[in-house]
Amino acid sequence: MTFPALNVFPPNALSTGVDGRDEDASVHDQVYEALANLLIQGQIPPGKSVSLRTLASGLGVSPMPVREAVRRLIAQKALELQPSNKRLRVPSLSEDRLKQLMMARQWVEPELAFRAVAAMTRDTIAELKADDQRLMAALGKGDVDGYMQANHAFHFRIYRLAQADLFLDMAKTLWLQSGPFMRVVFGRLGTVQLPQDHHQELIRAFETGDAAAVRQHMSDDVHEGMELMLEALRAY
């Protein structure tokens, strides 16, 4: 399994600075974010076993910061350790658990979008439009990675404006658990068969400051995406 190397650590990054604590924390955080992004973008397929050493090698870092990141991801139920061989994998997702994820996302994410209305600016709306343009271009080319990156950027650009850290952390955890299964959707439908999302409606609602419409369009967007996952899981 090969991932893009992080290439963010200078030589001897783990042994520089005052007693190394700040540098260690920075490395650990960057490795965690890198692994989290791989999961959200479906780069680690559901059910596939992977070792800690393989993850470290694929990211171009030592096993130590990967071990700490993996502990965090296991606590968030994004990864699990198999007792039989001590290898890691994305947990299997039952239909019941996916329905729970749908319900949770449909509560948390519309609320974040609703709270973001007051902080929305013209510059952020322009960035959302650019995210959506990248998303649509990726769809047209059948670029799964590009689609998933742009979709994630669009949603979390909104959510970070909400100034609701607890809800934001919940949304991140929910995406960690559901992201790998979006790849199952693409495997079943491809990119060209995906239904139209609600991003344009969301942007228009943000432009007019219609918070109720923002909440509804985000709910519809999450619901339709998760319904696709349910359909793909049933056929998986």
Side-chain angles (χ1 to χ4, degrees):
M1 183 175 292
T2 303
F3 308 125
L6 293 180
N7 294 323
V8 294
F9 308 129
N12 302 317
L14 295 178
S15 59
T16 58
V18 180
D19 73 21
R21 291 177 185 174
D22 290 344
E23 285 75 14
D24 283 356
S26 176
V27 169
H28 289 166
D29 287 344
Q30 290 180 72
V31 170
Y32 169 80
E33 291 296 336
L35 287 177
N37 285 334
L38 290 172
L39 288 163
I40 287 169
Q41 295 167 23
Q43 297 285 351
I44 303 176
K48 181 177 179 63
S49 295
V50 61
S51 69
L52 187 147
R53 188 174 298 277
T54 298
L55 290 175
S57 175
L59 291 172
V61 297
S62 71
M64 183 176 66
V66 176
R67 186 175 292 110
E68 177 60 30
V70 162
R71 287 195 190 103
R72 292 171 64 181
L73 292 165
I74 289 174
Q76 292 174 299
K77 300 188 184 302
L79 289 174
E80 66 180 7
L81 186 65
Q82 301 174 83
S84 60
N85 57 15
K86 305 300 182 183
R87 290 171 68 87
L88 300 158
R89 69 179 178 188
V90 173
S92 299
L93 192 61
S94 67
E95 184 172 334
D96 178 67
R97 184 166 183 80
L98 189 52
K99 287 179 178 177
Q100 291 182 54
L101 284 171
M102 178 190 290
M103 292 176 66
R105 285 191 61 194
Q106 279 196 270
W107 187 86
V108 172
E109 294 177 49
E111 179 66 20
L112 282 165
F114 179 85
R115 289 168 178 252
V117 172
M120 187 60 64
T121 66
R122 290 182 179 179
D123 287 344
T124 304
I125 287 173
E127 291 167 345
L128 290 173
K129 289 179 178 179
D131 290 336
D132 196 51
Q133 288 171 359
R134 285 193 294 271
L135 182 152
M136 296 306 296
L139 280 178
K141 295 185 294 186
D143 177 3
V144 174
D145 289 338
Y147 170 85
M148 296 185 76
Q149 289 167 11
N151 188 53
H152 180 265
F154 180 92
H155 280 263
F156 280 85
R157 196 180 302 282
I158 294 169
Y159 302 158
R160 284 191 293 269
L161 286 181
Q163 299 182 29
D165 290 344
L166 177 60
F167 294 161
L168 180 61
D169 287 344
M170 292 169 67
K172 289 178 180 177
T173 298
L174 293 169
W175 276 61
L176 280 171
Q177 294 185 34
S178 59
F181 293 87
M182 181 57 76
R183 288 278 172 168
V184 177
V185 173
F186 286 122
R188 179 173 176 268
L189 298 178
T191 56
V192 295
Q193 297 184 55
L194 292 179
Q196 183 68 39
D197 58 43
H198 293 265
H199 292 183
Q200 291 295 321
E201 292 95 331
L202 274 164
I203 290 169
R204 286 193 289 271
F206 278 123
E207 287 177 323
T208 60
D210 188 341
V214 163
R215 189 196 293 274
Q216 185 59 57
H217 291 314
M218 183 61 78
S219 179
D220 292 342
D221 191 71
V222 170
H223 177 78
E224 290 182 16
M226 295 299 285
E227 280 289 346
L228 283 177
M229 287 193 203
L230 276 171
E231 292 174 15
L233 184 65
R234 289 164 182 155
Y236 192 49

